[in-house]
Amino acid sequence: MGSTSSERPAGTRDRDIEGRARNARPRDGLGRPLPYGADGVERQPEGVVRTPEQTVAEAQALLDAGKPFHAHEVLEDAWKSGPEEERALWRGLAQLAVGLTHAARGNVTGGARLLRRGAGAVEEWASQAGRGQPYGMDLAGLAEWARGLAGDVERAGASVDARARAPRLCR
């Protein structure tokens, strides 16, 4: 999909190239749908298989650009395509990115909840796997960041700047 979307004919569903229902509305930088025909941010392709190192680098670049929704999509690809023993790790990291997305959109309750859920997930994975820094990521530091941001969001009761509050995945 390009940066703009044409009008959808009335009574039809958006479909991907394989015929599956998929919303083709353009999205803003936080993944919110925009009206058909509006300029939007290029969406991440789905189902891309990357090495863990490529996943971390691409997700970090998107987080640094203030696009946590898009980083979540990259992390979700790793969750769905990675080895079974790492799926909980990638799912937890995707939850952190989605938590930041919701916090940036002003969803205080949902953002804080997802940040804490992701923090717990990466800590649990690290404990069970005996790996606190897979692929150079600082899981304890990410959990601390997430819980701190969740508290800040709840205290302020307002949205955050996704770029300014983006985590560092690696030390």
Side-chain angles (χ1 to χ4, degrees), residues 15-16 22 24 36 38 45 48 54-55 64 67 71 88 95 107 116 124 131 135 141 145 148 153-154 156 158 161 171:
R15 303 260 176 208
D16 65 15
R22 177 178 161 97
Y36 285 97
V48 176
Q54 289 169 327
T55 296
D64 291 347
K67 298 178 182 176
Q95 288 171 334
N107 178 354
R116 288 189 180 102
E124 182 178 345
R131 294 173 60 196
Y135 311 109
W145 162 84
V153 166
E154 288 172 329
D161 180 332
R171 288 183 179 206

Side-chain angles (χ1 to χ4, degrees), residues 30 63-66 68 100 103-105 149 158-166:
L30 292 174
L63 289 166
D64 291 347
L100 177 56
R105 289 177 177 176
L149 180 57
S159 64
V160 299
D161 180 332
R163 181 176 293 156
R165 298 303 301 264

Side-chain angles (χ1 to χ4, degrees), residues 58-119:
E58 190 167 341
Q60 187 66 65
L62 290 163
L63 289 166
D64 291 347
K67 298 178 182 176
F69 176 81
H70 303 284
H72 143 265
E73 291 180 328
V74 169
L75 294 163
E76 189 174 79
D77 282 341
W79 160 21
K80 292 179 178 180
S81 68
E84 183 66 35
E85 64 272 10
E86 290 186 1
R87 289 194 178 156
L89 166 66
W90 298 110
R91 183 178 62 237
L93 293 167
Q95 288 171 334
L96 294 177
V98 149
L100 177 56
T101 299
H102 282 280
R105 289 177 177 176
N107 178 354
V108 171
T109 301
R113 184 176 295 134
L114 282 162
L115 286 162
R116 288 189 180 102
R117 185 180 302 153

